[in-house]
Amino acid sequence: MGRVDAALISSLPNLRMIQSEGVGYQGVDVECAKRNNVVVCNNKGINDTAVAEGTLFLILACLKNYTRGVDAMYCGGQIEAKKKAFGNVRELSECTVGLVGFGDIARQTAKLLNALGTRVIYTNRTRYKALEGKYNVEYAELETLLSQSDFVSLHLAACNETRGFVDSKFLSGMKKDAYLINTARGDLVDNEALYEAIKNGTIAGAGLDVIFPEPVTRDNILLRDDIRDRLVLTPHIAGITHLTVKKLYRQCYDNIIRVLNGEEPKNKVN
């Protein structure tokens, strides 16, 4: 979302609520809002199914070498691509997916992966023992998750503690034939570290719905041609399905009505 800073908040004496359309609210000065008795709300969980589907798409696209396959088709190399793939493409039932973070989206992702017979492990600041059976997941420390996962999928909020979380040390802990998947926030990843890891074969590649900064420009290091065939990219669209947008504005409207009626709004973050 855009910036709602202290100057803007202080200039609106009748302001009662700041409502984020999505899950993120990084642009809001939450402390200033609190001092001014302004409630800040987000739409937690609004796009969990949509982003989980986007995550699954990126995982499958990496697994099936989607980018290379498309390029081969356009270059007249279909048969050569087919020969290379013969017997060398795994199914998800043979893979382990590691979820870094275990919020709403990660849980929905686990459900989709379970349907395909995938082993799912997760790491999180808080271990959710009570949910592990429900979502058929195993808990692991980060180091173990990185060393065992064929796909490492990020499901963290962006904050001071997590920006640049995926650095060279993180990537060097992954398997050489593993892929990084990011449908969370672009600034979780150190772009230069990811570029070097892919270029040097530290990891096999990445599936990215988000790249920092946005808007993504052609000179971004992750768009260099020498790693193009090892990336699957989508333009930050995982969470903006038709159904998500309908739910999003319904919940915004409902929160406005609650505040106008003196009731407690949903999904307060302050």
Side-chain angles (χ1 to χ4, degrees):
M1 65 179 299
R3 290 195 59 78
V4 185
D5 58 18
L8 179 58
I9 294 169
S10 300
S11 71
L12 299 170
N14 296 321
L15 183 64
R16 296 168 63 183
M17 180 179 72
I18 300 168
Q19 172 72 58
S20 170
E21 291 181 338
V23 179
Y25 52 93
Q26 297 94 325
V28 179
D29 189 328
V30 176
E31 290 305 314
C32 179
K34 184 177 180 180
R35 291 194 300 271
N36 286 271
N37 296 315
V38 176
V39 64
V40 179
C41 302
N42 71 347
N43 265 325
K44 180 180 181 296
I46 192 72
N47 59 1
D48 52 359
T49 299
V51 179
E53 288 182 357
T55 302
L56 182 60
F57 167 79
L58 290 174
I59 290 172
L60 286 168
C62 289
L63 190 65
K64 309 299 182 185
N65 293 315
Y66 176 79
T67 300
R68 292 178 184 177
V70 170
D71 287 348
M73 294 292 289
Y74 276 98
C75 295
Q78 182 247 328
I79 296 301
E80 290 76 9
K82 185 175 181 180
K83 288 178 180 177
K84 287 181 181 178
F86 190 82
N88 293 317
V89 179
R90 292 171 295 168
E91 298 180 14
L92 268 179
S93 61
E94 302 175 85
C95 297
T96 296
V97 174
L99 307 175
V100 182
F102 200 61
D104 296 317
I105 294 169
R107 295 170 195 179
Q108 289 300 317
T109 301
K111 288 171 67 175
L112 296 179
L113 291 168
N114 283 334
L116 296 171
T118 312
R119 177 184 177 229
V120 183
I121 58 180
Y122 80 99
T123 193
N124 197 69
R125 183 168 53 185
T126 302
R127 180 176 179 178
Y128 294 103
K129 287 185 178 181
L131 297 177
E132 290 171 12
K134 177 180 179 180
Y135 291 99
N136 191 28
V137 296
E138 307 165 33
Y139 176 80
E141 296 294 338
L142 179 61
E143 183 178 356
T144 301
L145 180 144
L146 296 178
S147 68
Q148 294 186 6
S149 298
D150 301 293
F151 296 89
V152 175
S153 185
L154 304 180
H155 299 280
L156 299 171
C159 61
N160 291 335
E161 291 75 26
T162 59
R163 289 187 184 92
F165 181 71
V166 178
D167 56 12
S168 56
K169 180 181 178 182
F170 181 106
L171 294 162
S172 65
M174 292 173 58
K175 298 165 61 176
K176 288 188 178 297
D177 60 350
Y179 291 84
L180 179 75
I181 306 294
N182 190 7
T183 54
R185 288 289 181 266
D187 50 355
L188 297 175
V189 177
D190 179 326
N191 287 356
E192 186 169 347
L194 179 57
Y195 168 78
E196 293 294 339
I198 296 173
K199 180 183 177 183
N200 298 330
T202 303
I203 64 172
L208 308 173
D209 184 53
V210 286
I211 296 175
F212 180 83
E214 286 194 25
V216 181
T217 55
R218 187 63 181 89
D219 61 351
N220 191 293
I221 192 171
L222 292 176
L223 297 186
R224 290 186 180 176
D225 290 335
D226 57 351
I227 64 167
R228 183 185 186 279
D229 65 345
R230 284 167 280 176
L231 289 178
V232 178
L233 304 177
T234 50
H236 201 172
I237 58 170
I240 53 174
T241 62
H242 175 259
L243 182 58
T244 291
V245 172
K246 281 182 64 176
K247 292 191 294 182
L248 181 159
Y249 288 113
R250 177 77 252 178
Q251 291 197 32
C252 288
Y253 174 80
D254 287 346
N255 258 2
I256 292 169
I257 297 302
R258 286 189 182 92
V259 170
L260 290 175
N261 291 337
E263 300 171 359
E264 189 83 354
K266 290 185 176 180
N267 297 321
K268 291 198 306 180
V269 300
N270 65 338

